[in-house]
Amino acid sequence: QVQLAESGGGLVQAGGSLRLSCTASGSIFSIWTMRWHRQAPGKQRELVAAITSGGSTYYADSVKGRFTISRDNAKNTVYLQMSSLKPEDTAVYYCRVANTDYWGQGTQVTVSS
């Protein structure tokens, strides 16, 4: 059973930065495409960013140019560097193994003005 654990969320002022981390169990992490999703209260969960085993990346238009996804296969970890944060980025952020039911527990990001 794959387990994912996120960390790095918290409170930050608009314009600030945070780095989220997600560490996975298992020895085949390097072949997975990893995704970050987020969900605000009363809203649908949305895809924020993704990174393939080969390092190709995808970003939602709402975060393009502000967020960077990366991975360290030696640490079984995927990161989301979040810069120029806006109040509308406030949400619970989840990591996921693409196209599976393997989700982390979520980490809260709150951006104040």
Side-chain angles (χ1 to χ4, degrees):
Q1 200 81 16
V2 174
Q3 294 185 331
L4 306 172
E6 297 112 326
S7 62
L11 291 165
V12 65
Q13 293 282 306
S17 298
L18 287 172
R19 188 180 74 159
L20 307 184
S21 300
C22 173
T23 299
S25 65
S27 62
I28 59 171
F29 175 82
S30 63
I31 74 172
W32 298 339
T33 292
M34 298 297 299
R35 291 175 172 169
W36 285 99
H37 300 248
R38 67 186 182 187
Q39 187 168 26
K43 303 293 185 180
Q44 294 292 315
R45 192 169 297 187
E46 63 175 337
L47 175 64
V48 174
I51 185 166
T52 70
S53 61
S56 297
T57 58
Y58 163 85
Y59 299 96
D61 287 344
S62 59
V63 307
K64 199 170 296 180
R66 300 187 298 119
F67 291 10
T68 302
I69 189 170
S70 62
R71 67 193 298 159
D72 185 340
N73 290 337
K75 296 181 178 180
N76 278 15
T77 299
V78 61
Y79 304 94
L80 188 67
Q81 178 65 50
M82 310 163 68
S83 300
S84 301
L85 283 162
K86 305 174 180 180
E88 52 262 45
D89 295 318
T90 295
V92 178
Y93 285 71
Y94 301 88
C95 65
R96 181 196 185 193
V97 180
N99 304 310
T100 74
D101 289 324
Y102 300 141
W103 294 85
Q105 82 285 357
T107 186
Q108 176 72 50
V109 172
T110 303
V111 184
S112 66
S113 59

